[in-house]
Amino acid sequence: MDSLAKSSILLGKPITFIDGVNIHVPAIQEIIESQEEFEKSVLALTVLTRQIFVEAREIDSIEQKFPTVWELMCNPQLNVSLGGLTGEPGSKLSDGIISAIAYWTKLPNPTKEEVEKYTEEEKKTKPKGFEFLENSGKIVNYDTEWIIDKAEFDKFVDIVKVIIDYRKPEDLAPKIKSDAAHEVWLRMHRNKKSMEKGKEISWADRMMMLSVSTPSYIPIEEIGKMSVFQFNQLFKIVNQIDAYEMSLGILMSPKFSAPEGKVKPPKHWRENYRIGDAES
C-alpha cells in the first residue's frame, strides 16, 4: 500500500478497493461494541495454517500442502471441519471468510435461506450477497459482480493487515526435525499458554494506557472515536518513544559503564517508526 493510501486511512477515510467496493476502517468504539464480530473477521482473514495446526506433528507437510486459509477453504473436507474456527458451529470455513469480507466492506450478506425466500419482485431489488463457488474455488458477490480469487483475496487481506497493524503470533511452531523435538516443543508451548491464560491485554487496558501515556491526557471519549488504524499507530509511537527514552536513560546513568568506543547510542524512535508497516 502506498503512502497516499496510508494517509487517507489515517484521516479516517474508507479505502476504495475496486469500483463499488470500499474497505471500512472501524472506530475503536465500534470494535468494542461488536468485539466478537471484529475478532472473528480478523481471524478469518489472517489465521495461519501453522496457527491452526500448531500442535500437529505433521505441521510442516500440512503447511506445505495448504499454505494459507484460502487453500484450506478450497479443500472440501477442511472447509467443513474448520468451520467452527471463524463462524458459528455447523458452518463452513468459507462462511466465516465471507462474513469477514462483508464486515470489512459493509456489503450486505444475506443467508442463502433468506435469498431463497425472496419473491420475484424482491429478487429485482434485494441484495443477493456472497457465495463460495466450490467448483471454481472463487467467492462471488452478485450485487457488485465482484469475483474474488486467491490473488484478489491476498490483496484484500494485505490492506486489512495494514489497518489492524497485523503481527504474526509469537507462539507459532518451529520447523520440527524429530518426534523428540516435537514433544519438547509441545510441552513448552502448552506450559506457556497455561501461564499466559487470563493475562491478555484488553482494548480497555490499551485505551487507558494510551490516555495517560502522552504529554497531554487524551479523554477516553476521544480515543473511542479514533479509527483502529489511528489508535494502533499512536499506541505504537508511544511504545517506541518509551523504549527510546528508557535506553537513553540507561546509557546516560552514572551507574552505567562500558569500554570507551563500544557504546552506540540508541536509534531515535523517528528512525524506527514507519506508518502501516504491518507484517505480511
Side-chain angles (χ1 to χ4, degrees):
M1 184 185 295
D2 60 32
S3 58
L4 182 61
K6 292 175 184 177
S7 298
S8 295
I9 304 175
L10 190 61
L11 294 172
K13 298 179 180 178
I15 306 151
T16 300
F17 188 70
I18 60 169
D19 288 343
V21 177
N22 293 329
I23 298 180
H24 172 65
V25 184
I28 296 300
Q29 183 67 39
E30 179 184 343
I31 290 172
I32 290 174
E33 289 173 354
S34 57
Q35 188 168 335
E36 185 178 357
E37 184 183 9
F38 171 77
E39 289 176 353
K40 283 187 175 182
S41 77
V42 169
L43 182 66
L45 301 184
T46 65
V47 67
L48 303 172
T49 303
R50 212 165 187 83
Q51 193 175 350
I52 297 171
F53 298 98
V54 65
E55 295 192 359
R57 171 66 183 91
E58 306 81 10
I59 191 168
D60 294 335
S61 58
I62 296 173
E63 185 182 41
Q64 188 174 17
K65 191 174 182 180
F66 306 104
T68 72
V69 70
W70 186 267
E71 286 81 16
L72 292 169
M73 177 187 70
C74 289
N75 179 279
Q77 289 76 33
L78 292 174
N79 189 31
V80 172
S81 64
L82 296 176
L85 181 72
T86 58
E88 298 299 323
S91 64
K92 295 181 179 181
L93 181 59
S94 55
D95 297 329
I97 290 174
I98 284 173
S99 293
I101 295 172
Y103 173 88
W104 288 101
T105 59
K106 296 304 175 189
L107 291 171
N109 184 31
T111 64
K112 187 177 181 180
E113 291 74 19
E114 289 172 333
V115 173
E116 288 174 349
K117 290 179 182 178
Y118 288 171
T119 65
E120 289 303 315
E121 194 61 32
E122 287 175 331
K123 288 178 182 177
K124 299 175 184 177
T125 57
K126 284 198 169 186
K128 299 175 181 66
F130 293 86
E131 184 179 1
F132 173 54
L133 308 176
E134 293 188 15
N135 292 336
S136 64
K138 295 177 181 178
I139 293 172
V140 61
N141 179 266
Y142 293 109
D143 306 303
T144 60
E145 299 183 346
W146 181 28
I147 297 173
I148 307 171
D149 58 11
K150 174 68 164 61
E152 186 87 342
F153 179 75
D154 287 345
K155 285 192 292 184
F156 186 87
V157 171
D158 283 344
I159 294 174
V160 171
K161 285 180 176 179
V162 170
I163 293 172
I164 62 172
D165 195 39
Y166 173 78
R167 293 292 179 266
K168 287 182 180 178
E170 296 179 353
D171 58 349
L172 294 178
K175 295 290 182 181
I176 303 297
K177 301 292 184 181
S178 67
D179 291 346
H182 179 254
E183 285 297 324
V184 171
W185 179 84
L186 201 55
R187 285 196 297 271
M188 293 172 60
H189 170 72
R190 289 174 177 172
N191 184 51
K192 183 180 179 183
K193 295 296 285 186
S194 176
M195 292 175 66
E196 290 176 348
K197 193 173 182 180
K199 296 181 180 178
E200 298 87 357
I201 298 177
S202 68
W203 281 102
D205 294 330
R206 297 176 70 198
M207 289 174 71
M208 284 302 300
M209 282 187 254
L210 182 60
S211 70
V212 298
S213 294
T214 57
S216 58
Y217 172 78
I218 305 176
I220 296 296
E221 294 77 11
E222 292 303 312
I223 294 176
K225 295 175 185 177
M226 292 181 184
S227 74
V228 66
F229 183 77
Q230 293 168 335
F231 178 86
N232 283 334
Q233 296 306 310
L234 187 54
F235 197 82
K236 183 162 62 176
I237 288 176
V238 167
N239 286 336
Q240 289 186 356
I241 292 173
D242 283 347
Y244 169 74
E245 290 180 346
M246 185 179 295
S247 298
L248 197 62
I250 292 172
L251 193 65
M252 298 179 69
S253 170
K255 295 181 180 180
F256 179 82
S257 62
E260 189 174 345
K262 296 292 184 180
V263 180
K264 291 183 179 180
K267 275 189 176 182
H268 196 277
W269 65 268
R270 288 189 179 88
E271 295 182 61
N272 292 322
Y273 176 74
R274 291 295 179 274
I275 190 169
D277 61 343
E279 294 180 358
S280 59

